[in-house]
Structure formats: C-alpha cells, structure tokens
C-alpha cells in the first residue's frame, strides 16, 4: 500500500534531522561540543551544507535540538522504568534512580555536556518537572506500601532523590554510582514503628 | 598612632569596593541581577561613575566580584562551623550541612543568582573543591568516631551530602530545609554490626 506523499516527506525530514543530530553527537563525543561546526556536521553526516542550513539556521540550533533529543530519550527510558510491571514501587524507584544516576555520570564523563553552552531551554525545565513528578508519584506509592518513610512529604523526597543521585556526575566509577544510589535510598527507609514525629 | 599611608590607601580602596558590591547586592535583590547597570550602581552607592569605572571595567566585573565575595563569605562561615570546638564530628557535619542548605535555599529564593549570568569562575571551582574536602574530612572523622557508615568512601559521601542538601534550592520553607538535612544525614548512619558488606 503506497504511503501518502506527506508521510513520505515527513519521514524523509525526520531521517535528515536524525542524521544531523547523530553526526553532532559523534563530533561532540570525539572533540567536545565547542568543536562542533556546521561544516563539520555537513561532512560527518554526508548532508550538503545548503540542505543543512534549510534544517538548522546555525550550530546553536543543532546543539539545542540534539540536547532536546537526548533529554526526551532519557525521560522516555525513565518513564518506562517507572511503569514496568511487577515488583514494588520501591523496586521501580530504585531502577529509576539507578538509571538517572547513570545518565548523570555519562553526561559528566563525556565532558560533552551541551547544556553548559546553551541557555536552559523550556524543554529542559519541562522535562525536569516531569521527572520530579514521576519520582514523587513513585515515592507516594512506596509510602503507601510501607517501604518509604512517611514523615517527609513525597515532593521533598523527590527533590532530595534527584539532587542526591545527581552526585553521580562527581564520582569516578560505575561501582561508585551504585554505592551512591544505595546511600540515597537508605535515607528513605521508614523508621522503627512509633519513631516518626 | 598614625597609620601608614599605604594602609590608609588600601583601606579606602576596600571601602569603595565594598560600597560598590553592597549597592550591587541591594540592586540585585530588589530588581534581579539582570537589572544591575553601572549607572544604577553609581547612584545607589553614591560613588561617581568615573570612580566606579576606575575600580571595575564593566557590570560583569562587578557581578563577578560580588559573587566571589559571597562565595568567600559562605566558605568562611562553613569553615568556622567545621572547626567549632566541642561536640562530635557528626554534630559539626550536621551544622555545616544545615548552613550549606540554608545558603542554597536563600540563593534560589532571592532569584538573584548571578552565577546563572556568569561563566563559572575559577574561584567558584576552587571554593567547591575546598568545601568538598572540608565535608570529606569531617566525614572521615565521623567514621572514625563510629557515627557514620564505613562501607562507602568519605569522598563519595561528601559528593552525596553536598548534592543532596543542594535540593534546598527546590523546597519551599525553612522547615522543609531542616527535613532535607535530616533525610540526608539519615543515609549516613552506620548499619547494624555485621551489616556492612
């Protein structure tokens, strides 16, 4: 069944866009995001400069789109982990924080953090709010299941969890990231019965 | 006893500089740091524009100096708390983290965070390294005193503590800051004997 013309056009556009962003990711990983230029993107992606400029006005626009794609992919992964069936809410929380810490570590380790070059875009703020709400909801479930302390509002615990696991950017091994997540989760344990204020 | 001429000059310079930075702080607190201009600083501080420009070439230089002064003052306070006599290392750690969380909250609450406008300067990196070492050393003492878990290296716990209490920027009351510090410290408790890996 032949595709509608518009669908084909749209698919082509997405393919070009993805090729540009993949080339940008490769260049940034190899040389750092500051070394990314429109010429290098054109060469690396095999897309002509004239075409490239039809898609993105300048390198900042490419870096912003690349960053947006990364943030969206991370959020999709974390959302999937949050809804994975089976296990307790505390298990799913551990999986989400583990993945989040790994993302923070990889971002820092690559030294290829484009957000340092960019103004924090609306999409980053949006993603951060979304993620905070996701973690808060998991914590609320885990409190109801008796696995997380009930003496601190889940919204505050969510801020704590995301900041604490953000320390993964400052540690130097995958084992250290695992220890960090363990330490972060240890603070969430409910106290002994009658211990809450 | 008359002061040496050089001392007097130096004192005068420091007084002018402090007046400029105080004026900058007042303007930034009232209107946000983006609204700070050289003209407004001159008016607010009562220092002539010509004199002001002898001290600082532009408003970025003033904001950087202001930020540097803030960071230095914070570090001095935290260092004093770290060395305060009496109590255990764990007590001093709690005092340091409590003060640090308060600083993070006030910075966020004022919405007058100049660092968002500035490139992270060398002095900020230096202060951060200094603070991390300070917290790490306190943690090492507290581990030796048996008040903090020994299964995670103190350097990693220091990164955890500073990131976790940094969540104070995202909470909305002084009570929430206190809860955050409590939660952060709870993760540091040593496990029951024989529980460590």
């Amino acid at each position: 069944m032949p595709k509608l013309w518009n669908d084909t056009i749209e698919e082509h556009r997405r393919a070009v866009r993805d090729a540009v962003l993949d080339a940008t990711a490769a260049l940034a990983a190899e040389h750092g995001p500051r070394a990314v230029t429109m010429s290098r993107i054109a060469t690396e992606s095999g897309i002509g400069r004239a075409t490239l400029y039809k898609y993105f006005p300048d390198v900042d626009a490419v870096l912003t789109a690349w960053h947006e794609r990364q943030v969206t992919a991370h959020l999709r992964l974390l959302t999937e982990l949050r809804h994975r069936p089976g296990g307790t809410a505390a298990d799913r929380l551990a999986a989400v924080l583990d993945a989040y810490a790994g993302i923070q570590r990889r971002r820092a380790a690559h030294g290829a953090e484009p957000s340092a070059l960019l103004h924090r875009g609306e999409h980053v703020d949006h993603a951060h709010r979304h993620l905070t709400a996701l973690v808060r909801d998991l914590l609320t479930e885990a409190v109801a299941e008796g696995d997380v302390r009930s003496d601190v509002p889940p919204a505050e615990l969510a801020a704590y969890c995301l900041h604490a696991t953000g320390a993964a950017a400052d540690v130097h091994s995958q084992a250290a990231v695992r220890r960090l997540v363990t330490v972060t989760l240890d603070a969430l344990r409910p106290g002994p019965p009658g211990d809450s204020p």
Side-chain angles (χ1 to χ4, degrees), chain A:
Chain A
M1 206 160 57
K3 295 202 174 200
L4 291 175
W5 177 239
N6 280 342
D7 285 356
T8 313
I9 291 280
E10 190 45 53
E11 254 178 37
H12 174 73
R13 284 209 178 113
R14 198 174 305 128
V16 173
R17 209 180 135 84
D18 280 343
V20 169
L21 301 186
D22 291 345
T24 303
L27 288 167
E30 196 173 349
H31 309 289
R34 283 172 200 276
V36 176
T37 64
M38 293 297 261
S39 300
R40 283 181 160 197
I41 293 168
T43 309
E44 175 84 16
S45 63
I47 288 163
R49 278 173 57 94
T51 307
L52 177 57
Y53 278 100
K54 276 185 200 149
Y55 282 79
F56 297 99
D58 53 34
V59 76
D60 275 357
V62 183
L63 287 170
T64 301
W66 170 46
H67 191 216
E68 189 165 337
R69 190 177 71 166
Q70 279 188 303
V71 167
T72 303
H74 293 156
L75 196 55
R76 193 177 302 132
L77 168 68
L78 297 171
T79 304
E80 192 202 302
L81 291 171
R82 183 247 176 285
H83 290 293
R84 188 160 287 184
T88 63
D91 293 336
R92 278 172 283 142
L93 177 66
V96 166
L97 294 184
D98 205 55
Y100 180 72
I103 290 165
Q104 297 303 313
R105 172 163 146 73
R106 280 190 298 280
R107 280 170 60 175
H110 285 165
E113 179 44 55
S115 64
L117 296 179
L118 300 167
H119 298 290
R120 262 175 76 95
E122 181 54 38
H123 73 277
V124 176
D125 289 340
H126 175 81
H128 188 75
R129 282 195 299 275
H130 192 114
L131 180 56
T132 304
L134 182 158
V135 171
R136 183 201 60 211
D137 292 349
L138 264 180
L139 283 160
T140 304
E141 286 178 45
V143 170
E145 291 174 6
D147 290 329
V148 162
R149 63 197 298 163
S150 59
D151 60 335
V152 177
E156 293 175 17
L157 291 180
Y160 156 79
C161 285
L162 291 174
H163 279 267
T165 48
D170 285 355
V171 301
H172 303 292
S173 69
Q174 192 51 42
V177 172
R178 272 196 301 274
R179 286 191 290 270
L180 173 66
V181 174
T182 302
V183 168
T184 302
L185 291 170
D186 281 350
L188 303 179
R189 287 185 189 163
D195 194 34
S196 66

